[in-house]
Amino acid sequence: MSEPTLFQGSAEPLAARMRPRTLQEFLGQEELLGPGKALGELIRRGDIGSCIFWGPPGSGKTTLARIIANYTERHFEPFSAVTDGVARVREIIHEADERRKFQGQGTILFCDEIHRFNRAQQDAFLPWVENGMVTLIGATTENPSFELTGALLSRCRVFVLQPLAPEHLTTLVRRALADRDRGLGRLAIEIDDDFAVRMTGPAVRVCEGRAFADDWEAA
């Protein structure tokens, strides 16, 4: 039997494998997700409507949107305002209509970097948000009050996400090293607290969906 390596077992990047799948696994944003907090309660009830997540890179916007899809049992459809356009929005709406008709399942349309759409492009979302064909979750690093249209903002609730604290990043590193199924636990790597802190730079890149193993080898 071969020895375990950093790259053995899955072609999926470590960032994707370690992405939190439940609110219990999610790190940070206690002011939004803690007991009695609005967003957390909406997610737990499966009763969340269209919203905008405003926060810095690595704060968990994409992960939180995926968790919402899991809790509400809706299809998750990722969309990038950088690489996709209104034509793709129309395709997604058609697919969402078919999915609702034939499978009885709703759709979460997750629009990353929604501020990259101009005002006319943002208007393409309006009728489908209004009639409930899709639940729009937009992610942005820019102030939505300046970057999004008033019409779209009036139909979405804005939640502000904060950067992860150092202790969250240290926890993320330790999770990745301990998890035998999704992480690097099979390598039996042990580190002290000082080294865990050093690894929080790569941990930020994990949060942003970038590579981790190269950083680990270089550390």
PDB file of all heavy atoms in Angstrom, residues 4 11-12 18 20 24 27 31 36 40 46 50 61 63 66 88 134 157 162 175 178 188 190 194 203 211 216:
ATOM      1  N   PRO A   4       0.304   7.783   2.134  1.00  0.00           N
ATOM      2  CA  PRO A   4      -0.590   8.895   1.785  1.00  0.00           C
ATOM      3  C   PRO A   4       0.204  10.128   1.404  1.00  0.00           C
ATOM      4  O   PRO A   4       1.301  10.352   1.891  1.00  0.00           O
ATOM      5  CB  PRO A   4      -1.389   9.126   3.078  1.00  0.00           C
ATOM      6  CG  PRO A   4      -0.530   8.576   4.160  1.00  0.00           C
ATOM      7  CD  PRO A   4       0.215   7.411   3.557  1.00  0.00           C
ATOM      8  N   ALA A  11      -9.447  14.405  -6.637  1.00  0.00           N
ATOM      9  CA  ALA A  11      -8.993  15.461  -7.530  1.00  0.00           C
ATOM     10  C   ALA A  11      -9.604  16.800  -7.151  1.00  0.00           C
ATOM     11  O   ALA A  11      -9.194  17.835  -7.666  1.00  0.00           O
ATOM     12  CB  ALA A  11      -9.351  15.096  -8.972  1.00  0.00           C
ATOM     13  N   GLU A  12     -10.580  16.778  -6.248  1.00  0.00           N
ATOM     14  CA  GLU A  12     -11.243  18.001  -5.826  1.00  0.00           C
ATOM     15  C   GLU A  12     -10.309  18.811  -4.932  1.00  0.00           C
ATOM     16  O   GLU A  12      -9.664  18.266  -4.035  1.00  0.00           O
ATOM     17  CB  GLU A  12     -12.525  17.660  -5.063  1.00  0.00           C
ATOM     18  CG  GLU A  12     -13.428  18.848  -4.814  1.00  0.00           C
ATOM     19  CD  GLU A  12     -14.723  18.446  -4.146  1.00  0.00           C
ATOM     20  OE1 GLU A  12     -14.749  17.409  -3.462  1.00  0.00           O
ATOM     21  OE2 GLU A  12     -15.712  19.169  -4.293  1.00  0.00           O
ATOM     22  N   MET A  18     -13.243  20.903   2.064  1.00  0.00           N
ATOM     23  CA  MET A  18     -13.393  21.353   3.454  1.00  0.00           C
ATOM     24  C   MET A  18     -14.452  22.429   3.632  1.00  0.00           C
ATOM     25  O   MET A  18     -14.645  22.923   4.738  1.00  0.00           O
ATOM     26  CB  MET A  18     -12.040  21.862   3.979  1.00  0.00           C
ATOM     27  CG  MET A  18     -10.987  20.788   4.167  1.00  0.00           C
ATOM     28  SD  MET A  18     -11.507  19.474   5.300  1.00  0.00           S
ATOM     29  CE  MET A  18     -11.792  20.406   6.810  1.00  0.00           C
ATOM     30  N   PRO A  20     -17.534  24.242   4.699  1.00  0.00           N
ATOM     31  CA  PRO A  20     -18.581  23.890   5.662  1.00  0.00           C
ATOM     32  C   PRO A  20     -19.904  23.586   4.970  1.00  0.00           C
ATOM     33  O   PRO A  20     -20.270  24.253   3.998  1.00  0.00           O
ATOM     34  CB  PRO A  20     -18.692  25.149   6.538  1.00  0.00           C
ATOM     35  CG  PRO A  20     -17.341  25.778   6.453  1.00  0.00           C
ATOM     36  CD  PRO A  20     -16.890  25.529   5.045  1.00  0.00           C
ATOM     37  N   GLN A  24     -23.446  24.581  11.826  1.00  0.00           N
ATOM     38  CA  GLN A  24     -22.574  24.185  12.926  1.00  0.00           C
ATOM     39  C   GLN A  24     -21.111  24.202  12.498  1.00  0.00           C
ATOM     40  O   GLN A  24     -20.226  24.511  13.297  1.00  0.00           O
ATOM     41  CB  GLN A  24     -22.956  22.794  13.444  1.00  0.00           C
ATOM     42  CG  GLN A  24     -24.267  22.720  14.204  1.00  0.00           C
ATOM     43  CD  GLN A  24     -25.486  22.876  13.312  1.00  0.00           C
ATOM     44  OE1 GLN A  24     -25.451  22.558  12.121  1.00  0.00           O
ATOM     45  NE2 GLN A  24     -26.573  23.384  13.879  1.00  0.00           N
ATOM     46  N   LEU A  27     -17.796  29.005  10.214  1.00  0.00           N
ATOM     47  CA  LEU A  27     -16.994  29.797  11.137  1.00  0.00           C
ATOM     48  C   LEU A  27     -17.270  31.279  10.957  1.00  0.00           C
ATOM     49  O   LEU A  27     -17.324  31.787   9.838  1.00  0.00           O
ATOM     50  CB  LEU A  27     -15.500  29.530  10.905  1.00  0.00           C
ATOM     51  CG  LEU A  27     -15.012  28.112  11.203  1.00  0.00           C
ATOM     52  CD1 LEU A  27     -13.572  27.942  10.758  1.00  0.00           C
ATOM     53  CD2 LEU A  27     -15.155  27.794  12.679  1.00  0.00           C
ATOM     54  N   GLU A  31     -22.801  37.355  14.690  1.00  0.00           N
ATOM     55  CA  GLU A  31     -23.812  38.400  14.837  1.00  0.00           C
ATOM     56  C   GLU A  31     -24.966  38.218  13.856  1.00  0.00           C
ATOM     57  O   GLU A  31     -26.037  38.813  14.024  1.00  0.00           O
ATOM     58  CB  GLU A  31     -23.180  39.786  14.652  1.00  0.00           C
ATOM     59  CG  GLU A  31     -22.690  40.101  13.244  1.00  0.00           C
ATOM     60  CD  GLU A  31     -21.364  39.437  12.909  1.00  0.00           C
ATOM     61  OE1 GLU A  31     -20.770  38.767  13.777  1.00  0.00           O
ATOM     62  OE2 GLU A  31     -20.928  39.584  11.749  1.00  0.00           O
ATOM     63  N   GLY A  36     -31.004  33.223  17.897  1.00  0.00           N
ATOM     64  CA  GLY A  36     -31.888  34.373  17.913  1.00  0.00           C
ATOM     65  C   GLY A  36     -31.571  35.436  16.891  1.00  0.00           C
ATOM     66  O   GLY A  36     -32.311  36.418  16.770  1.00  0.00           O
ATOM     67  N   GLY A  40     -29.652  33.547  10.831  1.00  0.00           N
ATOM     68  CA  GLY A  40     -29.592  32.169  11.300  1.00  0.00           C
ATOM     69  C   GLY A  40     -30.972  31.564  11.482  1.00  0.00           C
ATOM     70  O   GLY A  40     -31.215  30.407  11.109  1.00  0.00           O
ATOM     71  N   GLY A  46     -35.794  27.475   7.028  1.00  0.00           N
ATOM     72  CA  GLY A  46     -35.918  27.260   5.587  1.00  0.00           C
ATOM     73  C   GLY A  46     -36.779  28.300   4.922  1.00  0.00           C
ATOM     74  O   GLY A  46     -37.444  28.031   3.919  1.00  0.00           O
ATOM     75  N   SER A  50     -34.769  36.439  -1.215  1.00  0.00           N
ATOM     76  CA  SER A  50     -33.628  37.003  -1.922  1.00  0.00           C
ATOM     77  C   SER A  50     -32.854  37.957  -1.027  1.00  0.00           C
ATOM     78  O   SER A  50     -33.437  38.709  -0.244  1.00  0.00           O
ATOM     79  CB  SER A  50     -34.102  37.735  -3.185  1.00  0.00           C
ATOM     80  OG  SER A  50     -34.649  36.817  -4.117  1.00  0.00           O
ATOM     81  N   LYS A  61     -19.212  34.150   1.933  1.00  0.00           N
ATOM     82  CA  LYS A  61     -20.425  34.462   1.178  1.00  0.00           C
ATOM     83  C   LYS A  61     -20.911  33.268   0.354  1.00  0.00           C
ATOM     84  O   LYS A  61     -22.090  32.891   0.399  1.00  0.00           O
ATOM     85  CB  LYS A  61     -20.176  35.690   0.282  1.00  0.00           C
ATOM     86  CG  LYS A  61     -19.811  36.957   1.046  1.00  0.00           C
ATOM     87  CD  LYS A  61     -19.660  38.166   0.144  1.00  0.00           C
ATOM     88  CE  LYS A  61     -18.456  38.081  -0.782  1.00  0.00           C
ATOM     89  NZ  LYS A  61     -17.165  38.116  -0.036  1.00  0.00           N
ATOM     90  N   THR A  63     -20.001  30.071   0.638  1.00  0.00           N
ATOM     91  CA  THR A  63     -20.284  28.947   1.519  1.00  0.00           C
ATOM     92  C   THR A  63     -21.656  29.089   2.169  1.00  0.00           C
ATOM     93  O   THR A  63     -22.436  28.138   2.242  1.00  0.00           O
ATOM     94  CB  THR A  63     -19.203  28.825   2.595  1.00  0.00           C
ATOM     95  OG1 THR A  63     -17.956  28.534   1.960  1.00  0.00           O
ATOM     96  CG2 THR A  63     -19.536  27.736   3.601  1.00  0.00           C
ATOM     97  N   ARG A  66     -24.435  28.286  -0.217  1.00  0.00           N
ATOM     98  CA  ARG A  66     -24.577  26.838  -0.413  1.00  0.00           C
ATOM     99  C   ARG A  66     -25.272  26.189   0.792  1.00  0.00           C
ATOM    100  O   ARG A  66     -26.090  25.265   0.626  1.00  0.00           O
ATOM    101  CB  ARG A  66     -23.210  26.204  -0.643  1.00  0.00           C
ATOM    102  CG  ARG A  66     -22.613  26.522  -2.014  1.00  0.00           C
ATOM    103  CD  ARG A  66     -21.301  25.796  -2.231  1.00  0.00           C
ATOM    104  NE  ARG A  66     -20.761  26.022  -3.562  1.00  0.00           N
ATOM    105  CZ  ARG A  66     -21.087  25.328  -4.648  1.00  0.00           C
ATOM    106  NH1 ARG A  66     -21.968  24.328  -4.533  1.00  0.00           N
ATOM    107  NH2 ARG A  66     -20.556  25.592  -5.823  1.00  0.00           N
ATOM    108  N   ARG A  88     -27.151  34.059 -20.114  1.00  0.00           N
ATOM    109  CA  ARG A  88     -27.065  32.939 -19.165  1.00  0.00           C
ATOM    110  C   ARG A  88     -28.157  33.052 -18.102  1.00  0.00           C
ATOM    111  O   ARG A  88     -28.696  32.032 -17.658  1.00  0.00           O
ATOM    112  CB  ARG A  88     -25.681  32.915 -18.515  1.00  0.00           C
ATOM    113  CG  ARG A  88     -25.497  31.829 -17.462  1.00  0.00           C
ATOM    114  CD  ARG A  88     -25.757  30.447 -18.021  1.00  0.00           C
ATOM    115  NE  ARG A  88     -25.712  29.419 -16.965  1.00  0.00           N
ATOM    116  CZ  ARG A  88     -26.462  28.339 -16.956  1.00  0.00           C
ATOM    117  NH1 ARG A  88     -27.321  28.093 -17.945  1.00  0.00           N
ATOM    118  NH2 ARG A  88     -26.365  27.465 -15.972  1.00  0.00           N
ATOM    119  N   VAL A 134     -36.911  32.389  -8.849  1.00  0.00           N
ATOM    120  CA  VAL A 134     -35.624  32.080  -8.227  1.00  0.00           C
ATOM    121  C   VAL A 134     -35.498  32.887  -6.944  1.00  0.00           C
ATOM    122  O   VAL A 134     -36.126  33.942  -6.778  1.00  0.00           O
ATOM    123  CB  VAL A 134     -34.421  32.400  -9.145  1.00  0.00           C
ATOM    124  CG1 VAL A 134     -34.431  31.544 -10.392  1.00  0.00           C
ATOM    125  CG2 VAL A 134     -34.371  33.886  -9.492  1.00  0.00           C
ATOM    126  N   ARG A 157     -32.821  41.603   0.905  1.00  0.00           N
ATOM    127  CA  ARG A 157     -32.347  41.999   2.224  1.00  0.00           C
ATOM    128  C   ARG A 157     -30.826  41.947   2.227  1.00  0.00           C
ATOM    129  O   ARG A 157     -30.235  40.963   1.752  1.00  0.00           O
ATOM    130  CB  ARG A 157     -32.921  41.067   3.286  1.00  0.00           C
ATOM    131  CG  ARG A 157     -32.648  41.510   4.708  1.00  0.00           C
ATOM    132  CD  ARG A 157     -33.519  40.726   5.672  1.00  0.00           C
ATOM    133  NE  ARG A 157     -33.283  41.124   7.044  1.00  0.00           N
ATOM    134  CZ  ARG A 157     -33.964  40.640   8.081  1.00  0.00           C
ATOM    135  NH1 ARG A 157     -34.918  39.746   7.874  1.00  0.00           N
ATOM    136  NH2 ARG A 157     -33.701  41.050   9.313  1.00  0.00           N
ATOM    137  N   GLN A 162     -18.485  40.070   8.133  1.00  0.00           N
ATOM    138  CA  GLN A 162     -17.216  40.592   8.635  1.00  0.00           C
ATOM    139  C   GLN A 162     -16.063  39.648   8.274  1.00  0.00           C
ATOM    140  O   GLN A 162     -16.282  38.458   8.043  1.00  0.00           O
ATOM    141  CB  GLN A 162     -17.289  40.765  10.157  1.00  0.00           C
ATOM    142  CG  GLN A 162     -18.416  41.658  10.638  1.00  0.00           C
ATOM    143  CD  GLN A 162     -18.301  43.075  10.103  1.00  0.00           C
ATOM    144  OE1 GLN A 162     -17.194  43.593   9.929  1.00  0.00           O
ATOM    145  NE2 GLN A 162     -19.442  43.698   9.837  1.00  0.00           N
ATOM    146  N   ARG A 175      -8.770  21.959  11.347  1.00  0.00           N
ATOM    147  CA  ARG A 175      -9.783  21.072  10.765  1.00  0.00           C
ATOM    148  C   ARG A 175      -9.236  20.357   9.533  1.00  0.00           C
ATOM    149  O   ARG A 175      -9.435  19.151   9.350  1.00  0.00           O
ATOM    150  CB  ARG A 175     -11.011  21.883  10.343  1.00  0.00           C
ATOM    151  CG  ARG A 175     -12.004  22.183  11.437  1.00  0.00           C
ATOM    152  CD  ARG A 175     -13.206  22.865  10.819  1.00  0.00           C
ATOM    153  NE  ARG A 175     -14.156  23.307  11.809  1.00  0.00           N
ATOM    154  CZ  ARG A 175     -15.248  24.003  11.524  1.00  0.00           C
ATOM    155  NH1 ARG A 175     -15.508  24.315  10.261  1.00  0.00           N
ATOM    156  NH2 ARG A 175     -16.072  24.385  12.474  1.00  0.00           N
ATOM    157  N   ALA A 178      -6.873  17.636  10.521  1.00  0.00           N
ATOM    158  CA  ALA A 178      -7.423  16.542  11.329  1.00  0.00           C
ATOM    159  C   ALA A 178      -8.413  15.667  10.574  1.00  0.00           C
ATOM    160  O   ALA A 178      -8.553  14.480  10.882  1.00  0.00           O
ATOM    161  CB  ALA A 178      -8.094  17.114  12.577  1.00  0.00           C
ATOM    162  N   ALA A 188      -1.474  12.431   9.217  1.00  0.00           N
ATOM    163  CA  ALA A 188      -1.083  12.482  10.633  1.00  0.00           C
ATOM    164  C   ALA A 188      -0.084  13.605  10.907  1.00  0.00           C
ATOM    165  O   ALA A 188       0.916  13.428  11.609  1.00  0.00           O
ATOM    166  CB  ALA A 188      -0.506  11.144  11.080  1.00  0.00           C
ATOM    167  N   GLU A 190       1.184  16.889  12.718  1.00  0.00           N
ATOM    168  CA  GLU A 190       0.989  17.572  13.992  1.00  0.00           C
ATOM    169  C   GLU A 190       1.727  18.912  13.953  1.00  0.00           C
ATOM    170  O   GLU A 190       2.879  18.978  13.502  1.00  0.00           O
ATOM    171  CB  GLU A 190       1.511  16.712  15.147  1.00  0.00           C
ATOM    172  CG  GLU A 190       0.737  15.411  15.334  1.00  0.00           C
ATOM    173  CD  GLU A 190       1.211  14.636  16.551  1.00  0.00           C
ATOM    174  OE1 GLU A 190       2.067  15.166  17.293  1.00  0.00           O
ATOM    175  OE2 GLU A 190       0.718  13.511  16.750  1.00  0.00           O
ATOM    176  N   ASP A 194       1.926  28.025  17.349  1.00  0.00           N
ATOM    177  CA  ASP A 194       2.626  29.067  16.599  1.00  0.00           C
ATOM    178  C   ASP A 194       2.595  28.787  15.107  1.00  0.00           C
ATOM    179  O   ASP A 194       2.385  29.682  14.286  1.00  0.00           O
ATOM    180  CB  ASP A 194       4.076  29.184  17.080  1.00  0.00           C
ATOM    181  CG  ASP A 194       4.177  29.785  18.466  1.00  0.00           C
ATOM    182  OD1 ASP A 194       3.209  30.451  18.892  1.00  0.00           O
ATOM    183  OD2 ASP A 194       5.217  29.601  19.125  1.00  0.00           O
ATOM    184  N   ALA A 203      -4.761  29.761   4.968  1.00  0.00           N
ATOM    185  CA  ALA A 203      -6.157  29.500   5.323  1.00  0.00           C
ATOM    186  C   ALA A 203      -7.083  30.526   4.689  1.00  0.00           C
ATOM    187  O   ALA A 203      -8.199  30.202   4.288  1.00  0.00           O
ATOM    188  CB  ALA A 203      -6.332  29.509   6.845  1.00  0.00           C
ATOM    189  N   ALA A 211      -5.753  27.442  -3.744  1.00  0.00           N
ATOM    190  CA  ALA A 211      -5.003  26.246  -3.358  1.00  0.00           C
ATOM    191  C   ALA A 211      -4.459  26.365  -1.950  1.00  0.00           C
ATOM    192  O   ALA A 211      -4.145  27.447  -1.470  1.00  0.00           O
ATOM    193  CB  ALA A 211      -3.872  26.007  -4.342  1.00  0.00           C
ATOM    194  N   TRP A 216       1.123  24.781   1.978  1.00  0.00           N
ATOM    195  CA  TRP A 216       1.585  23.893   3.053  1.00  0.00           C
ATOM    196  C   TRP A 216       2.997  23.417   2.775  1.00  0.00           C
ATOM    197  O   TRP A 216       3.862  23.400   3.645  1.00  0.00           O
ATOM    198  CB  TRP A 216       0.632  22.710   3.167  1.00  0.00           C
ATOM    199  CG  TRP A 216       1.148  21.670   4.103  1.00  0.00           C
ATOM    200  CD1 TRP A 216       1.734  20.484   3.772  1.00  0.00           C
ATOM    201  CD2 TRP A 216       1.146  21.735   5.518  1.00  0.00           C
ATOM    202  NE1 TRP A 216       2.089  19.800   4.900  1.00  0.00           N
ATOM    203  CE2 TRP A 216       1.736  20.555   5.995  1.00  0.00           C
ATOM    204  CE3 TRP A 216       0.708  22.675   6.453  1.00  0.00           C
ATOM    205  CZ2 TRP A 216       1.901  20.278   7.335  1.00  0.00           C
ATOM    206  CZ3 TRP A 216       0.854  22.403   7.784  1.00  0.00           C
ATOM    207  CH2 TRP A 216       1.457  21.220   8.221  1.00  0.00           C
TER     208      TRP A 216
END
